[in-house]
Amino acid sequence: MSKRTIVTMPGDGIGKTVLPEAIRVLDAVGFEADYVHADIGWEFWCKEGNPLPQRTLDLIEKHKIALFGAITSKPKSEAVKELDPALAGKGYVYYSPIVGLRQHFMLDICQRPCISFKGNPLNFIRKGPNDTIEEPEVNVVVFRQNTEGLYGGVEWTDPPQQVYDAFMTHPKFSKNFGWCPKDELAISTRIFTKKYSERIIRAAFEYAKKFGYKRVTLCEKPNVIRETSGMMLAICRNMTKEYEGIHFDYTNIDAQMMWLTKDPEKYGVIIAGNMFGDIVSDGFAGLVGGLGFACSANIGEEVAIFEPTHGSAPKYENLNPSIVNPIAMIMSACMMLDYLGEVGKADRIRKAIAKVVEEGKVRAYDMLKLRGSQEVMQQGAASTSEMTDAIIAAL
Ligand code: NAI
Ligand code: MG
């Protein structure tokens, strides 16, 4: 096969630290690719008024596959203050470049595996009968709709008159909100389409079938959010008929967050809309090691981007040597290998990580439950690159 070109977007803060570590592991496992750097993040907002420059979109358009580190986002008012004075007052508005990427390339399927590694000191434990300690094995893959819903960006403060008038035709709006002056209204919509609801649900069922998961759970709130969650449920109920041997059920997001710590081992594949998927995937990630372990894939019809779910952790970006855990980024690179059909290489890396975690000789500060600082190295923590070295040695 011809050599792949992978677009790399380290972004801000620790994104710049962990992404090169993942490439070291990809090289070590024998994955052959050319990597091209692309600009993204805060620096480009400040300098150019655009955190996601067109040249970056062009590179991704061309090569279709990208690895992404993390970006720094700040609230609107702070964003304006940090903009280059030469650009001030010219109508530049900050938006999250990762949300922008997901929408631009219609990366509608977000996959977030939350799978515990044996021996990880961060694994969730609970009390069993007679005060025994149980460590349930979590093996959940969350399928989150990535482009619609509450993060779709269709929102207003002081909505335009036509929008307001249209809302006023809804009896619940006029009755419950009609009293409020228009300029004191903030509205964020939750729009779901049948096409993209079907795509995320199909992707989840297909994944369950391919990898032998016996249970698919829709995690929404159809009893209250009847139109959107209700549509998801109706599609699931219809589709489940095509997947014999897979049990389908649904939970409400609020109850699910409680059940997370009661019986997380009972779940397999989870489907959710954009915001609830964001919430439930962070919840499950917390049971298997948290941000240092949480990886993800954003997959569209043509383009796919792989990223750890953590952010840029600015408080650690200037530590030298770096102490952050590279595993989330490395596992995101494994998801890229899976996507490219290099499952053998991905499995080798995952096994190497499992070995390092289980042996427990090399552990990042988060795995030792230390507060992050330069001192953690004296307390036995591995640096970012030592962690990567151990994984490469275990390959
Ligand atoms: P964060 O994920 O950057 O950090 C939260 C805390 O998690 C850190 O202080 C650290 O204790 C821990 N952590 C994160 N990554 C870790 C790693 N690899 N190893 C060990 N510990 C790790 O989230 P925070 O502090 O809320 O946001 C910082 C910036 O990142 C903000 O500007 C935010 O907008 C942005 N962000 C970007 C995301 C992205 O690029 N996809 C996602 C989340 C936040
Ligand atoms: Mg999140």
Side-chain angles (χ1 to χ4, degrees), residues 276-298:
F276 295 161
D278 197 9
I279 294 171
V280 76
S281 59
D282 275 14
F284 271 108
L287 306 177
V288 299
L291 290 173
F293 286 82
C295 55
S296 75
N298 304 282

Side-chain angles (χ1 to χ4, degrees), residues 12-29:
D12 301 307
I14 66 164
K16 288 196 174 86
T17 319
V18 292
L19 199 145
E21 299 293 317
I23 293 175
R24 283 213 287 139
V25 178
L26 289 170
D27 287 344
V29 82

Side-chain angles (χ1 to χ4, degrees), residues 14 70-73 291 307 309-316 325 365:
I14 66 164
I71 46 92
T72 296
S73 270
L291 290 173
E307 55 160 334
T309 61
H310 63 71
S312 60
K315 59 181 172 179
Y316 302 142
N325 194 341
Y365 86 94

